[in-house]
Amino acid sequence: MIGGLFIYNHKGEVLISRVYRDDIGRNAVDAFRVNVIHARQQVRSPVTNIARTSFFHIKRSNIWLAAVTKQNVNAAMVFEFLYKMCDVMTAYFGKISEENIKNNFVLIYELLDEILDFGYPQNSETGALKTFITQQGIKGQVRTKEEQSQITSQVTGQIGWRREGIKYRRNELFLDVLESVNLLMSPQGQVLSAHVSGRVVMKSYLSGMPECKFGMNDKIVIDKQGKGGTTDDSGKSGKQSIAIDDCTFHQCVRLSKFDSERSISFIPPDGEYELMRYRTTKDIILPFRVIPLVREVGRTKLEVKVVIKSNFKPSLLAQKIEVRIPTPLNTSGVQVICMKGKAKYKASENAIVWKIKRMAGMKESQISAEIELLPTNDKKKWARPPISMNFEVPFAPSGLKVRYLKVFESKLNYSDHDVIKWVRYIGRSGIYETRC
Amino acid sequence: MEWASQLCENRGLGSKMTDSKYFTTTKKGEIFELKAELNSDKKEKKKEAVKKVIASMTVGKDVSALFPDVVNCMQTDNLELKKLVYLYLMNYAKSQPDMAIMAVNTFVKDCEDPNPLIRALAVRTMGCIRVDKITEYLCEPLRKCLKDEDPYVRKTAAVCVAKLHDINAQLVEDQGFLDTLKDLISDSNPMVVANAVAALSEIAESHPNSNLLDLNPQTINKLLTALNECTEWGQIFILDCLANYTPRDDRESQSICERVTPRLSHANSAVVLSAVKVLMKFMEMLPKDLDYYGTLLKKLAPPLVTLLSAEPELQYVALRNINLIVQKRPEILKHEMKVFFVKYNDPIYVKLEKLDIMIRLASQANIAQVLAELKEYATEVDVDFVRKAVRAIGRCAIKVEQSAERCVSTLLDLIQTKVNYVVQEAIVVIKDIFRKYPNKYESVIATLCENLDSLDEPEARAAMIWIVGEYAERIDNADELLESFLEGFHDESTQVQLQLLTAIVKLFLKKPTETQELVQQVLSLATQDSDNPDLRDRGYIYWRLLSTDPVAAKEVVLAEKPLISEETDLIEPTLLEELICHIGTLASVYHKPPSAFVEGSRGVQHKRLPARTGSGEGAESPDVGQSGPSEAPPAVIPSQGDLLGDLLNLDLAPPTATVPSVQPSMQMGAMDLLGGGLDSLLGGDIGGSPSMGAGLGAAPAAMPAALGGAPAVGGGLGDLFDLGGGVGMPTGSYVAPKTVWLPAMKAKGLEISGTFARRGGIIQMDMSLNNKAMSVMTDFAIQFNRNSFGLAPAGPLQVLTPLSPNQTIDVSLPLSVNGPVMKMEPLNNLQVAVKNNIDVFYFSCQYPLSLLFVEDGKMERQVFLATWKDIPNDNEAQFQIKDIHLNSDAASNKLQGSNIFTIAKRTVEGQDMLYQSVKLTNGIWILAEMRIQTGNPNYTLSIKCRAPEVAQFVYQCYELVLKN
């Protein structure tokens, strides 16, 4: 199991050091600094073995977080734990920065004592932790006995992510379907790979212990219903179902129920959390198409022409469009003409950045550039990195639709109809690249 | 503390909430000041002081001097302060054991506190204080806490048992905590169950033989129930524990799999990977024709792909594991090639791993796509990545034959880029392609030669030189090219020097007229001016070969090379199985067994996959048959030492995978050259078995099935008529007639023929030396190379009189078995050097194994029975001995003459069964069962031995003895 946990600043000075196991000594702190943080070469692996001691590390801005062990631990678990620890810290004091860590070091030690025991991760749900570890010192001594046992039963209980007795005057929930669409296209316009990775993020402000059921246009569910003979539903929804390659759920979702009935039912945490993640690869709506044309004119000049086409309903508007056209390292000057938006050559980034604020569907725009090159004797050819694109569109490129989210709370007197529900779809570019 | 002082300036900004100010005290005498503050009456001041102490501790300052003062602050009802004091205690208690005792009372009191959070905190901290005296006091509170009414306390106490066990294992056992811990597996609270499982698993690891985690269907059922209810971390503990269980049959295996599969949809990647581990392991037990087996396979792919959208560090862990899974079950991900395509912004460690998996998944169906990608990667920036991409193209060519042409043209395109390291890497892989597809792509040689000057890495230079030498006859200016390398011969690395030497000798053999000077130059450079023994030896061998017999030299140097196999980097099957059992853990990231990086007793146990239980599937080994595109078993180069150990030491287990493979001739050192080269030199002459040469190395020695491939030495020899004069026939043991070992034309007129005999416990090598030259021969001497059973001359070769032309002399050389030992191929090969006044000559011959059968080889009946049972059935080999017209008694008598002893005879339904034993000079016992059916001239022989390699040779002796 995890033998120790260290947090360093960018210089390699240790900010937090917590040792859980006897086999990890103080010298491990230095070993990591010398061999990884101060290493001359770029880090080649997130797992480093130094003198039979294994170091797992992640970086958040310029802060290094390292877990150390001498045993054959579950490596995936260690990384998941490090991410989780970042989440917990962020939930407590915001961004993970040197200053924040120093300002909260007592709190961090307290958290580390609670979420890791002898190197074994324990309950690390922020909702539960916040009931008894607070920034304003401990309220422990003023608690009643009932409160205490309520805390412990929540921390260890089956529904560790939600406490009893939550009350809202207005029961409300927000559903965000956030998708990032990834594309790799060949210069000839052939799709090399494309997939959507999506997340359903929920903000719930619901009273009591509500039981929720979430439904979407999952092909498997809809086909099953079609076969089942529920005639009222199958006709209209059958055409717009999507094939989900795989999905994962927040721990509140009953996985065995999903496995057997493919229904998503759960008691939600309070506030914001990620209900599910999913991935689709079939019938993806690619919001933009990039058509590049690069011509080398002699040894000192390049001509680049890039056309982008929007491919969605004309009534919808894409926003924050940015096209990044890489330029060779020996570029001396660039002239750009674009039909729409603004384009600039950024020498420090070796790229022409073309920005368009808004663009409606089924439109087309173009940029052309002349790139002057300095003659070099470098034999190495320019690697021609792909043209990448960023954008945001108000629909889900996978075609996912939320069909329902039902809320049942039997003990309190509000029904599904009383809950105010908001659904929003946002499609963003993930890695959206076209080779040129 | 530099950063701390820098922060001083910002201090004004911080509200009273900020703690960073505690880091700022760097003044001298701070310990003294802290001491005063710690003893202050004001609670707030005390707390501030403790915070300062903790801050100093964090940055590595020694504040142990404050121990009594800090411990004094422990008695407080302020939980935050208490936690800080505990933190300090855990750090320094070990260095101040006597003072630490002061804390005990508070702990014991806290364990009785009405607040469960405080009870748990006390028991949690106490377990972390590694002081013997404290642990004694810990037992009672711990016992109470294990039975506490509050689950939060129980789950903390469960982990505390593991802590205590780490400090004092005996104490834990004596106090009966292990039983209490086992009871907690049935606790009503899932988190208590999970922590109890984690603690038990850890304790069980350091007691490999204890039946601590007594997993049975009932406990498994409890664990599976808790699995649905506990936290993500608890699920990991439970799944990792489940993976250690071996279900009783395929039914149970399936039902566990069914209950584990829902975990594949968990958001936590570690839960997913641990579930994959359980499924991969239990799948082994499911019959392949089961519908569920197919369903399960299909269910595994999507979650594995989803892991690739996790954070990069987790992607790395996932990819290292997928690499194993793809080797074990290629069918799972065979359609998912695209997800392994490298993204421009992937970290380098993810890129390299993806590339590895792409090559493993490459097949005829997707090769076009893969190649297009690889070509793209070869133009990237990172040198390591580019090199690996180029290498990958070469591997595709070797793996997918249909793509070879396209790969070669891609490589040529890359060579045209003139990027130095790309060109060099491309040349290295093209060499391999030449070896895989001889006489197909040599047209590209001209292009390769153009880049000769730009090669500066040894591997690339060596590859290029090999190509020039191998295809010297097609390259007009081969001599010039090689000569240009020769100029800086001494500055080259050994790899290049060896290659250059071989290449020039090849060139000379192909174009002898023009290159005589060159070859002399290189030979003298290698033999006279070099300090490297490998180089010198190789040089001498070539020199002698060329000077004595150019024809033989041609056979040796220009011998046809075995084709290279496609997947050379597969993980060895037993290791792969073990690693599959460790999916998700560090072992699977390092691709090494835990024993390689974990100290002490932990993780030393080797895990194995369970065997399939379905009937009718028994014959199918889980490793072969599902290896997808590569049907051939992966080549494993056994280290000679290991094999030898097995051969010589009866107590060692039989070798697990002994499929020797031919090392590529590129790396052949002088020793290999002696082994392989001399064999092929003489192979044509002995017994007319052409397979004896270098090809032999490829024949699996351990498998009796390979009989056809290996030369039947004795049998072959026996057919030849007696050439030598023949020493008087010995009593008892059979002696084969003499055969020609060294023909006159290869030894400047000296012809040696001979045979081996065992007479009265003494091994003798009988030789006839025949002088067919025109001059007198004197000064004879003999030496053996190291061999499998340590045969060595027991005295000098006694040729007293000079050997005049046309004279034959018979000598008998007594042999001992105390010489140096090295495993030979074949096992009974003996390499001999004979010297006379003219020169030194080398030959190799093979001796019948019966030479080594000792006289006291009769085993006790009981011992025989026990040993027979003890030797695993895998080691049993069966043979047919045909056309023997002897009854069982006659056969038994005849065999006894050669020290094959019959221990017992049984007659069942007209079938005589003879049980026999043989002992070799090195103490290896061979047990045999011979079945003789009356009226049937064919005997069935079963041989069992701890060193199964010898079985085949023993069989040959049986045949020889019985037929003569």
Side-chain angles (χ1 to χ4, degrees):
Chain A
M1 283 306 115
I2 298 174
L5 239 158
F6 308 130
I7 303 180
Y8 302 83
N9 66 6
H10 66 288
K11 283 191 249 164
E13 291 159 343
V14 61
L15 304 179
I16 295 285
S17 124
R18 175 75 161 90
V19 173
Y20 293 94
R21 296 257 170 169
D22 198 40
D23 54 2
I24 301 299
R26 181 82 200 174
N27 52 356
V29 180
D30 302 324
F32 183 76
R33 173 183 28 244
V34 173
N35 289 291
V36 180
I37 302 182
H38 292 168
R40 285 207 198 106
Q41 286 163 331
Q42 186 198 350
V43 183
R44 290 259 145 177
S45 158
V47 185
T48 323
N49 192 314
I50 308 162
R52 290 197 154 222
T53 310
S54 297
F55 294 82
F56 300 76
H57 75 264
I58 62 171
K59 263 189 104 172
R60 286 291 180 268
S61 64
N62 56 7
I63 298 293
W64 298 76
L65 296 104
V68 194
T69 184
K70 282 207 165 185
Q71 299 174 25
N72 182 29
V73 297
N74 189 320
M77 186 187 78
V78 175
F79 280 123
E80 283 283 5
F81 177 79
L82 287 174
Y83 303 140
K84 191 66 170 201
M85 201 175 98
C86 290
D87 290 349
V88 171
M89 291 198 288
T90 313
Y92 268 95
F93 52 77
K95 194 171 166 278
I96 294 178
S97 65
E98 181 168 351
E99 197 177 346
N100 277 344
I101 288 174
K102 282 186 191 164
N103 282 339
N104 294 285
F105 85 97
V106 173
L107 170 73
I108 294 173
Y109 276 124
E110 206 176 321
L111 286 171
L112 286 179
D113 198 42
E114 188 59 42
I115 58 180
L116 212 53
D117 190 4
F118 202 39
Y120 289 106
Q122 304 292 307
N123 193 331
S124 44
E125 285 301 311
T126 329
L129 290 171
K130 278 194 170 169
T131 58
F132 66 108
I133 296 178
T134 60
Q135 280 160 301
Q136 277 77 34
I138 290 295
K139 304 181 283 185
Q141 48 269 51
V142 294
R143 280 222 185 81
T144 63
K145 207 174 169 191
E146 288 76 52
E147 274 178 320
Q148 286 164 4
S149 69
Q150 204 187 332
I151 291 168
T152 56
S153 76
Q154 194 203 333
V155 173
T156 60
Q158 294 183 19
I159 308 161
W161 54 88
R162 190 182 180 93
R163 63 187 169 89
E164 301 255 4
I166 298 171
K167 278 207 180 76
Y168 287 101
R169 218 160 53 83
R170 208 161 100 123
N171 288 302
E172 206 171 10
L173 65 85
F174 300 83
L175 262 184
D176 282 349
V177 177
L178 306 172
E179 296 198 336
S180 86
V181 52
N182 298 277
L183 169 74
L184 185 61
M185 198 177 252
S186 77
Q188 292 76 33
Q190 186 194 359
V191 175
L192 295 172
S193 75
H195 75 271
V196 167
S197 56
R199 305 188 297 145
V200 178
V201 175
M202 188 170 160
K203 260 186 240 169
S204 70
Y205 304 106
L206 301 170
S207 311
M209 292 298 247
E211 178 75 44
C212 297
K213 213 173 163 187
F214 175 67
M216 55 187 178
N217 56 341
D218 177 1
K219 195 165 186 292
I220 297 175
V221 175
I222 287 174
D223 287 357
K224 212 194 272 173
Q225 285 177 349
K227 265 181 221 157
T230 46
T231 43
D232 54 322
D233 206 36
S234 60
K236 55 178 195 230
S237 54
K239 60 189 177 220
Q240 273 197 339
S241 58
I242 61 160
I244 293 173
D245 286 28
D246 189 37
C247 45
T248 59
F249 296 98
H250 185 268
Q251 58 169 324
C252 67
V253 175
R254 295 188 185 89
L255 293 179
S256 39
K257 206 155 182 187
F258 178 75
D259 194 58
S260 56
E261 303 163 23
R262 214 161 162 100
S263 75
I264 303 164
S265 62
F266 54 97
I267 295 172
D270 194 40
E272 185 173 340
Y273 72 103
E274 189 181 289
L275 175 65
M276 73 177 281
R277 281 181 186 225
Y278 56 92
R279 182 167 46 86
T280 71
T281 45
K282 286 199 192 76
D283 305 323
I284 294 169
I285 308 155
L286 295 170
F288 285 95
R289 163 102 204 265
V290 178
I291 304 151
L293 201 74
V294 179
R295 211 159 61 90
E296 288 175 43
V297 188
R299 294 199 59 191
T300 57
K301 204 168 143 190
L302 273 180
E303 279 181 11
V304 180
K305 201 176 106 179
V306 177
V307 180
I308 60 167
K309 287 182 178 172
S310 59
N311 174 36
F312 45 88
K313 272 193 228 154
S315 59
L316 298 173
L317 271 181
Q319 288 184 306
K320 300 178 190 166
I321 301 148
E322 185 185 291
V323 182
R324 187 170 282 263
I325 304 159
T327 55
L329 295 173
N330 56 338
T331 302
S332 61
V334 177
Q335 274 142 8
V336 252
I337 310 162
C338 57
M339 286 160 52
K340 215 172 170 220
K342 281 179 192 162
K344 239 190 210 166
Y345 166 62
K346 295 198 173 166
S348 59
E349 296 166 37
N350 289 312
I352 300 167
V353 180
W354 177 25
K355 287 183 178 169
I356 305 170
K357 276 194 183 139
R358 260 175 230 102
M359 189 164 167
M362 308 314 272
K363 289 267 177 4
E364 171 174 332
S365 193
Q366 176 180 330
I367 185 172
S368 40
E370 274 188 22
I371 303 172
E372 304 280 340
L373 302 175
L374 290 170
T376 57
N377 49 7
D378 193 0
K379 266 193 195 168
K380 210 165 121 183
K381 247 179 69 188
W382 177 47
R384 283 204 188 188
I387 295 175
S388 60
M389 211 184 156
N390 289 317
F391 54 79
E392 199 179 292
V393 288
F395 60 90
S398 69
L400 182 129
K401 290 266 174 350
V402 175
R403 288 171 61 219
Y404 57 80
L405 199 148
K406 292 176 193 153
V407 181
F408 311 94
E409 166 53 90
S410 48
K411 287 185 196 145
L412 299 173
N413 55 351
Y414 72 94
S415 73
D416 186 38
H417 299 287
D418 303 329
V419 180
I420 306 157
K421 300 168 190 167
W422 308 84
V423 181
R424 178 165 69 158
Y425 298 92
I426 301 171
R428 292 200 182 97
S429 51
I431 294 165
Y432 204 82
E433 293 177 338
T434 307
R435 287 181 179 156
C436 59
Chain B
M1 292 291 279
E2 295 168 68
W3 51 262
S5 43
Q6 280 167 11
L7 252 156
C8 285
E9 297 157 33
N10 302 334
R11 205 161 23 148
L13 296 170
S15 66
K16 70 175 186 356
M17 280 220 8
T18 64
D19 283 338
S20 66
K21 60 175 183 285
Y22 302 113
F23 286 85
T24 59
T25 48
T26 53
K27 292 162 284 179
K28 286 205 174 121
E30 63 165 318
I31 299 270
F32 185 75
E33 268 178 39
L34 282 172
K35 210 176 177 82
E37 284 174 40
L38 284 169
N39 291 316
S40 157
D41 295 334
K42 287 182 190 145
K43 268 190 184 171
E44 268 315 297
K45 204 159 193 183
K46 255 189 188 176
K47 199 161 127 186
E48 301 290 282
V50 176
K51 282 188 182 178
K52 281 183 200 163
V53 172
I54 300 292
S56 300
M57 196 176 84
T58 298
V59 294
K61 262 192 187 172
D62 185 13
V63 282
S64 60
L66 296 168
F67 200 89
D69 310 284
V70 177
V71 172
N72 272 336
C73 303
M74 197 169 159
Q75 284 281 12
T76 171
D77 47 4
N78 182 323
L79 201 55
E80 191 186 11
L81 180 57
K82 193 170 232 152
K83 283 186 179 174
L84 287 173
V85 175
Y86 281 177
L87 193 61
Y88 179 90
L89 260 177
M90 285 186 266
N91 246 342
Y92 288 114
K94 225 171 143 187
S95 58
Q96 311 257 347
D98 295 329
M99 303 282 254
I101 294 289
M102 288 162 53
V104 166
N105 269 336
T106 322
F107 279 125
V108 175
K109 214 177 104 203
D110 279 359
C111 284
E112 309 267 336
D113 198 279
N115 184 344
L117 290 171
I118 293 188
R119 290 202 298 277
L121 178 66
V123 80
R124 182 166 67 212
T125 312
M126 236 173 137
C128 296
I129 297 179
R130 304 176 62 90
V131 174
D132 274 343
K133 285 179 197 154
I134 289 199
T135 48
E136 285 168 30
Y137 292 103
L138 175 60
C139 291
E140 277 322 299
L142 177 59
R143 197 185 315 281
K144 266 187 211 152
C145 288
L146 280 167
K147 304 221 159 115
D148 201 285
E149 52 168 24
D150 195 296
Y152 183 77
V153 180
R154 287 202 304 277
K155 72 111 185 162
T156 311
V159 175
C160 189
V161 175
K163 291 178 188 170
L164 191 57
H165 186 270
D166 195 39
I167 305 169
N168 190 340
Q170 194 58 45
L171 184 71
V172 169
E173 281 169 45
D174 295 345
Q175 294 280 332
F177 285 139
L178 294 182
D179 293 324
T180 325
L181 201 52
K182 276 189 204 165
D183 292 343
L184 287 184
I185 290 190
S186 317
D187 199 281
S188 58
N189 184 294
M191 195 157 173
V192 177
V193 178
N195 275 4
V197 165
L200 275 173
S201 304
E202 177 166 345
I203 295 171
E205 234 175 78
S206 50
H207 289 281
N209 299 321
S210 73
N211 195 20
L212 201 56
L213 252 175
D214 160 41
L215 293 176
N216 53 47
Q218 286 78 41
T219 43
I220 292 292
N221 195 29
K222 278 176 202 154
L223 294 184
L224 286 167
T225 311
L227 188 61
N228 288 324
E229 294 165 349
C230 63
T231 65
E232 44 195 329
W233 315 116
Q235 298 187 18
I236 300 168
F237 306 153
I238 292 179
L239 287 168
D240 283 352
C241 173
L242 271 180
N244 289 325
Y245 176 64
T246 308
R248 286 164 310 171
D249 51 27
D250 48 332
R251 273 238 200 96
E252 192 188 2
S253 182
Q254 178 174 346
S255 89
I256 296 176
C257 286
E258 278 166 356
R259 292 176 71 178
V260 168
T261 25
R263 297 299 122 197
L264 294 175
S265 305
H266 202 287
N268 186 316
S269 310
V271 175
V272 176
L273 268 177
S274 290
V276 169
K277 164 165 58 190
V278 174
L279 297 175
M280 283 291 287
K281 195 177 164 189
F282 290 7
M283 244 171 119
E284 281 302 308
M285 295 184 65
L286 299 178
K288 281 192 173 175
D289 45 1
L290 197 71
D291 285 346
Y292 181 69
Y293 179 85
T295 322
L296 198 52
L297 273 184
K298 274 194 213 111
K299 276 192 176 170
L300 276 172
L304 287 173
V305 173
T306 298
L307 291 177
L308 299 184
S309 45
E311 287 85 346
E313 292 88 1
L314 266 175
Q315 277 188 50
Y316 174 72
V317 173
L319 285 165
R320 293 292 284 174
N321 279 288
I322 289 172
N323 199 326
L324 298 172
I325 294 168
V326 163
Q327 289 184 56
K328 181 75 192 153
R329 299 193 178 275
E331 65 271 30
I332 294 178
L333 287 167
K334 67 178 172 207
H335 299 304
E336 302 287 350
M337 173 60 93
K338 274 188 181 177
V339 301
F340 297 103
F341 284 178
V342 169
K343 293 187 188 128
Y344 190 72
N345 292 324
D346 280 336
I348 181 67
Y349 51 80
V350 168
K351 282 185 179 175
L352 292 172
E353 292 306 317
K354 281 188 174 173
L355 198 51
D356 239 11
I357 295 169
M358 279 174 68
I359 302 165
R360 296 207 192 281
L361 290 177
S363 67
Q364 206 184 329
N366 57 25
I367 195 73
Q369 265 185 328
V370 174
L371 268 183
E373 281 294 307
L374 292 176
K375 197 174 171 185
E376 202 62 50
Y377 304 161
T379 60
E380 279 220 32
V381 201
D382 190 282
V383 178
D384 283 348
F385 181 60
V386 170
R387 283 174 180 276
K388 200 163 180 175
V390 175
R391 216 158 259 233
I393 297 173
R395 276 172 60 185
C396 285
I398 289 166
K399 196 172 168 189
V400 185
E401 184 162 0
Q402 292 80 356
S403 76
E405 194 150 344
R406 217 172 321 162
C407 293
V408 172
S409 81
T410 308
L411 287 170
L412 285 181
D413 287 350
L414 289 174
I415 287 177
Q416 299 303 345
T417 63
K418 303 280 176 199
V419 179
N420 190 278
Y421 53 85
V422 173
V423 174
Q424 310 213 36
E425 208 63 45
I427 286 180
V428 172
V429 298
I430 285 181
K431 174 210 71 190
D432 289 340
I433 296 176
F434 282 171
R435 290 217 36 203
K436 172 80 180 179
Y437 310 107
N439 305 317
K440 236 176 156 178
Y441 300 111
E442 282 77 10
S443 53
V444 308
I445 289 175
T447 322
L448 303 185
C449 290
E450 288 164 21
N451 292 287
L452 217 57
D453 300 331
S454 64
L455 309 180
D456 53 13
E457 289 160 25
E459 204 185 347
R461 285 174 84 86
M464 191 64 222
I465 292 169
W466 181 84
I467 292 172
V468 173
E470 189 69 14
Y471 300 101
E473 69 272 26
R474 310 188 198 188
I475 305 170
D476 293 334
N477 59 342
D479 47 344
E480 283 168 39
L481 294 176
L482 291 176
E483 199 170 357
S484 69
F485 281 104
L486 205 56
E487 278 159 21
F489 188 77
H490 289 298
D491 302 328
E492 299 283 1
S493 73
T494 313
Q495 191 185 10
V496 179
Q497 290 176 332
L498 286 168
Q499 209 42 254
L500 194 54
L501 172 61
T502 308
I504 291 178
V505 173
K506 281 181 187 165
L507 174 70
F508 171 71
L509 290 167
K510 287 174 178 173
K511 300 178 181 173
T513 45
E514 308 125 65
T515 56
Q516 208 147 12
E517 207 173 310
L518 195 60
V519 80
Q520 258 158 14
Q521 208 182 335
V522 76
L523 285 175
S524 84
L525 277 173
T527 54
Q528 285 158 26
D529 303 341
S530 170
D531 294 331
N532 184 318
D534 285 349
L535 186 63
R536 268 202 322 260
D537 285 358
R538 193 186 284 198
Y540 277 125
I541 290 193
Y542 282 147
W543 204 324
R544 274 182 208 137
L545 268 174
L546 291 174
S547 57
T548 43
D549 190 349
V551 183
K554 222 169 188 167
E555 275 174 46
V556 173
V557 181
L558 303 181
E560 217 168 282
K561 279 148 215 72
L563 294 183
I564 54 175
S565 68
E566 41 198 64
E567 301 233 19
T568 44
D569 62 337
L570 283 177
I571 294 176
E572 192 261 321
T574 42
L575 177 60
L576 181 62
E577 286 206 357
E578 189 179 351
L579 292 180
I580 290 284
C581 298
H582 286 294
I583 282 178
T585 69
L586 264 180
S588 71
V589 174
Y590 294 145
H591 288 185
K592 283 179 188 157
S595 51
F597 58 91
V598 174
E599 277 166 357
S601 59
R602 277 198 184 112
V604 177
Q605 309 148 264
H606 290 279
K607 295 189 180 178
R608 280 191 60 91
L609 290 178
R612 206 176 291 275
T613 52
S615 58
E617 291 259 343
E620 191 185 1
S621 110
D623 297 316
V624 199
Q626 41 79 44
S627 50
S630 62
E631 286 301 349
V636 181
I637 301 171
S639 73
Q640 287 204 318
D642 289 352
L643 272 180
L644 202 63
D646 285 329
L647 199 63
L648 295 175
N649 191 344
L650 275 170
D651 296 326
L652 282 182
T656 40
T658 49
V659 188
S661 82
V662 180
Q663 291 180 350
S665 71
M666 297 288 297
Q667 269 87 46
M668 267 196 180
M671 204 58 234
D672 290 312
L673 202 74
L674 244 178
L678 277 182
D679 273 355
S680 63
L681 173 67
L682 292 161
D685 300 299
I686 296 190
S689 61
S691 64
M692 275 184 60
L696 235 186
M703 287 168 63
L707 244 184
V713 186
L717 289 181
D719 292 340
L720 286 179
F721 45 89
D722 193 350
L723 276 172
V727 187
M729 278 307 249
T731 53
S733 105
Y734 164 76
V735 175
K738 282 183 185 166
T739 46
V740 176
W741 284 341
L742 181 68
M745 57 174 289
K746 290 200 173 172
K748 299 188 176 162
L750 175 68
E751 185 183 87
I752 301 179
S753 50
T755 185
F756 294 92
R758 186 180 181 95
R759 299 182 186 95
I762 294 163
I763 305 170
Q764 281 176 324
M765 183 173 175
D766 299 333
M767 283 182 289
S768 303
L769 310 178
N770 186 352
N771 185 351
K772 292 194 170 168
M774 305 305 284
S775 56
V776 177
M777 293 176 182
T778 56
D779 303 336
F780 284 94
I782 191 162
Q783 245 177 9
F784 291 179
N785 198 353
R786 289 194 284 173
N787 54 71
S788 313
F789 294 94
L791 284 176
L797 188 61
Q798 303 279 346
V799 185
L800 300 172
T801 50
L803 194 61
S804 27
N806 269 329
Q807 192 194 348
T808 300
I809 200 167
D810 287 336
V811 283
S812 207
L813 179 71
L815 304 183
S816 77
V817 288
N818 308 322
V821 172
M822 183 179 77
K823 191 173 183 240
M824 296 299 290
E825 197 53 59
L827 209 58
N828 60 343
N829 197 21
L830 181 66
Q831 292 174 350
V832 184
V834 169
K835 193 189 89 138
N836 62 11
N837 58 330
I838 301 168
D839 208 341
V840 182
F841 312 104
Y842 302 90
F843 64 88
S844 70
C845 51
Q846 295 176 1
Y847 48 89
L849 213 64
S850 54
L851 210 59
L852 307 163
F853 295 174
V854 297
E855 282 66 25
D856 62 344
K858 188 160 185 173
M859 207 179 228
E860 292 289 324
R861 266 173 198 240
Q862 282 84 358
V863 183
F864 183 93
L865 275 175
T867 318
W868 184 273
K869 273 188 208 148
D870 201 34
I871 299 177
N873 282 334
D874 297 352
N875 284 14
E876 184 169 338
Q878 270 212 2
F879 303 93
Q880 287 281 331
I881 307 174
K882 291 187 176 154
D883 275 336
I884 307 290
H885 299 280
L886 296 166
N887 66 19
S888 58
D889 288 338
S892 157
N893 279 338
K894 209 162 180 182
L895 288 169
Q896 177 130 14
S898 294
N899 294 342
I900 300 172
F901 299 97
T902 305
I903 296 166
K905 183 181 157 184
R906 206 147 62 99
T907 311
V908 183
E909 293 164 7
Q911 201 175 200
D912 284 341
M913 326 260 265
L914 298 180
Y915 296 93
Q916 296 166 323
S917 74
V918 171
K919 188 180 165 192
L920 297 186
T921 46
N922 58 2
I924 293 183
W925 283 96
I926 296 144
L927 311 185
E929 179 200 76
M930 194 158 72
R931 266 183 260 169
I932 304 170
Q933 216 154 6
T934 21
N936 185 350
N938 297 344
Y939 295 2
T940 308
L941 179 69
S942 305
I943 294 176
K944 254 190 167 185
C945 179
R946 284 213 169 80
E949 296 96 320
V950 303
Q952 178 200 339
F953 300 97
V954 174
Y955 153 69
Q956 286 165 8
C957 297
Y958 265 84
E959 200 167 54
L960 260 180
V961 174
L962 290 173
K963 287 194 171 165
N964 291 287

